[in-house]
Amino acid sequence: MNIASLILAAGKGTRMKSKLPKILHKVGGKAMVERVLETVQSIGTNRDVVIVGFGGDAVQNYLGDRAEFVRQEEQNGTGHAVKMAQPVLGDYDGTILLLCGDTPLVTKESLEALLEEHKNSGAAATILTAHMPDPTGYGRIIRNESGSVVRIVEQKDGKPEELAVQEVNTGMYAFDSKKLWPCLDQLSDDNAQGELYITDVVGILVNGGDTVSAYMTKDFEESLGVNSRLQLAEAESILKNRKNVELMTAGVTIIDPANTYVAPEVTVGADTILHPGTILEGDTVIGERCEIGPHTRLTNVKVGNDTIIHFTYGHDCEVKDGVDVGPYVHLRPNTVLGNKVHVGNFVEVKNSNVGEGTKFPHLSYIGDSDVGSGVNIGCGTITVNYDGKVKHRTTIGDGAFVGCNSNLVAPVTVGNYSYVGAGSTITKNVPDKALAVGRSKQIVKENWVTDDTFKKK
């Protein structure tokens, strides 16, 4: 089946009270329109067109080359928005899947079921519907005595008996492309809002002798559109709960699901424990038998098996097997912590490769460094990587011991199994198995404090 998606994303979203286009507000760490686009692309669309209007440049910049774009300069309803795409998709031969950019909760499974119904029924159009406990604000699906769909009635145009219907239009459709475009020329703005409704296409098709089918989604929450900050929070909560259920079903322990936030794209292995305050975002992958949190945020982080990370912020880095991190640690981009590394409290590691079994117990900054295996870094050690113009790298060999309160001024190398004395500032390379001490000579002045000193106080 040839499928082209058409995503309506031109509205301003005045109820959001924001200068940012509504569909760029994020749910689960991604813009709503991005979630919709990725969902339709997951079912195998061969073209994707996004209708933009308010903030169109920002939407295009955000999505880049992942879609084609059409401008709707004047917003005159959903039917008018679809007409704007006719110059781009007018010759397309296949199925046009129409969605709204503010429905980030729709799933791949529901869209596949919609398309399957559309294919099997041979309908000119198929509507994704939902049974809504409170249908207020949604268009109602009106069927005849035999159960066939005859039209969609909008909230502002419905009669009392029509508004009592609880089957609603989700705003998602599959259209036969050859049937769709002629109907658009028959749309009228003679309605309560004075706009061209895409919903009127259903009645036009039926009156012309065509069949309109429907598929009802099993979960009405998939159809929820986001028009306000309150609805944005509701969508976030639904997405979060959906992911938490998926993880717990697969063998992950979540101590407090209400206070654990895992993005849909994140992978977590079995027998891992997530403590309260854990936030896992982006392309994060957590291995098996790990313990994450409490109060840990990981964004685009790959974590191996049997690793503990707590009270930590990490992003765009990798933590391998059997590592112990935290509390109060910052793991910055391009950092790789090898197996069985220990990173203790108040440590920051940036753009560094750290070998197996190395320890940073506490109060250190390790930046732009290549650290070998079995290294011990004393409290307060700093790799001084920036000379005011350029970042330089520090190399620390296997088995080295760096005493507390030391400064390693890059570019510099500390050799294998060498020692750096406590309180040293190292500016020159240290050979293998050497001892380096770089500090001022201690001076002691006896009787510095006299009885008169105390009298003055």
Side-chain angles (χ1 to χ4, degrees):
M1 181 187 296
N2 289 332
I3 307 167
S5 73
L6 183 58
I7 301 173
L8 306 185
K12 183 176 182 179
T14 54
R15 280 182 281 170
M16 296 295 288
K17 302 291 191 297
S18 176
K19 295 179 181 179
L20 185 71
K22 177 180 72 171
I23 45 87
L24 288 186
H25 285 266
K26 293 184 177 181
V27 174
K30 290 187 177 183
M32 290 190 282
V33 68
E34 181 180 19
R35 289 217 166 272
V36 175
L37 179 61
E38 289 184 350
T39 300
V40 298
Q41 289 177 336
S42 72
I43 64 176
T45 53
N46 48 38
R47 289 187 70 179
D48 301 289
V49 178
V50 178
I51 307 294
V52 297
F54 174 77
D57 289 341
V59 176
Q60 288 187 233
N61 289 337
Y62 186 92
L63 294 178
D65 60 1
R66 288 182 281 177
E68 303 172 59
F69 298 94
V70 172
R71 292 272 179 167
Q72 184 190 17
E73 299 295 347
E74 178 185 0
Q75 280 77 61
N76 191 29
T78 53
H80 178 256
V82 175
K83 286 188 73 172
M84 296 298 98
Q86 190 166 358
V88 175
L89 291 175
D91 295 330
Y92 185 80
D93 186 9
T95 298
I96 293 180
L97 185 60
L98 179 64
L99 304 96
C100 297
D102 62 358
T103 54
L105 300 177
V106 66
T107 64
K108 173 185 178 182
E109 291 73 21
S110 288
L111 294 183
E112 287 177 335
L114 171 70
L115 291 168
E116 187 67 19
E117 169 65 25
H118 183 67
K119 177 183 177 182
N120 293 339
S121 66
T126 304
I127 312 164
L128 185 65
T129 70
H131 184 272
M132 192 76 71
D134 179 7
T136 303
Y138 287 82
R140 309 306 202 276
I141 302 298
I142 308 301
R143 298 175 181 265
N144 59 22
E145 294 79 4
S146 64
S148 298
V149 176
V150 292
R151 67 183 183 279
I152 301 173
V153 176
E154 296 294 341
Q155 174 78 33
K156 293 184 179 181
D157 301 301
K159 299 175 183 178
E161 62 271 19
E162 293 171 330
L163 296 181
V165 173
Q166 289 183 293
E167 184 181 11
V168 303
N169 172 33
T170 66
M172 293 173 246
Y173 314 81
F175 287 108
D176 180 330
S177 61
K178 300 301 181 184
K179 298 284 187 177
L180 172 62
W181 306 115
C183 295
L184 299 179
D185 294 329
Q186 302 178 51
L187 295 178
S188 168
D189 62 2
D190 184 16
N191 51 57
Q193 295 188 179
E195 295 180 345
L196 302 180
Y197 296 156
I198 192 63
T199 51
D200 288 345
V201 169
V202 172
I204 293 170
L205 288 170
V206 171
N207 292 335
D210 287 302
T211 299
V212 174
S213 184
Y215 172 79
M216 182 181 291
T217 179
K218 297 176 183 178
D219 183 358
F220 76 89
E221 289 181 337
E222 289 189 35
S223 67
L224 297 179
V226 174
N227 294 295
S228 66
R229 305 280 183 160
L230 176 60
Q231 292 173 341
L232 187 71
E234 290 171 348
E236 183 79 39
S237 178
I238 291 168
L239 206 62
K240 174 178 74 73
N241 291 338
R242 187 187 290 174
K243 183 64 178 184
N244 285 348
V245 169
E246 173 194 317
L247 292 177
M248 289 186 286
T249 302
V252 175
T253 296
I254 301 180
I255 302 296
D256 183 2
N259 290 294
T260 303
Y261 306 85
V262 184
E265 295 74 27
V266 170
T267 300
V268 183
D271 290 319
T272 284
I273 300 172
L274 304 182
H275 289 275
T278 294
I279 302 172
L280 305 178
E281 304 170 309
D283 297 324
T284 293
V285 177
I286 308 294
E288 298 180 349
R289 301 177 303 278
C290 293
E291 197 166 341
I292 309 297
H295 304 294
T296 293
R297 180 183 181 186
L298 304 179
T299 306
N300 304 323
V301 177
K302 182 178 180 181
V303 179
N305 301 321
D306 305 297
T307 285
I308 298 172
I309 304 177
H310 57 293
F311 295 97
T312 293
Y313 175 39
H315 47 120
D316 303 289
C317 59
E318 181 177 359
V319 180
K320 295 191 176 181
D321 298 342
V323 177
D324 178 13
V325 179
Y328 314 118
V329 170
H330 187 183
L331 301 179
R332 292 174 59 186
N334 302 314
T335 288
V336 178
L337 301 183
N339 297 336
K340 299 181 181 180
V341 165
H342 169 66
V343 180
N345 56 292
F346 300 104
V347 173
E348 180 174 348
V349 188
K350 170 244 178 186
N351 190 28
S352 296
N353 301 299
V354 182
E356 182 172 352
T358 285
K359 298 177 181 179
F360 305 148
H362 35 212
L363 297 164
S364 294
Y365 170 69
I366 308 298
D368 300 294
S369 298
D370 298 297
V371 184
S373 300
V375 173
N376 188 88
I377 300 293
C379 173
T381 294
I382 304 295
T383 58
V384 185
N385 56 336
Y386 186 48
D387 65 6
K389 295 182 180 180
V390 180
K391 296 287 181 70
H392 299 281
R393 294 195 73 80
T394 296
T395 301
I396 303 174
D398 294 342
F401 183 99
V402 179
C404 66
N405 223 31
S406 295
N407 301 306
L408 308 180
V409 182
V412 71
T413 296
V414 176
N416 298 323
Y417 307 104
S418 61
Y419 281 71
V420 173
S424 293
T425 295
I426 303 300
T427 59
K428 296 179 181 179
N429 293 343
V430 180
D432 293 350
K433 300 181 180 180
L435 168 64
V437 180
R439 58 190 181 217
S440 299
K441 181 180 178 181
Q442 180 174 321
I443 297 174
V444 177
K445 294 188 177 183
E446 297 184 6
N447 301 318
W448 180 255
V449 178
T450 64
D451 292 340
D452 289 338
T453 302
F454 291 103
K455 291 178 181 180
K456 291 178 181 178
K457 292 182 179 180

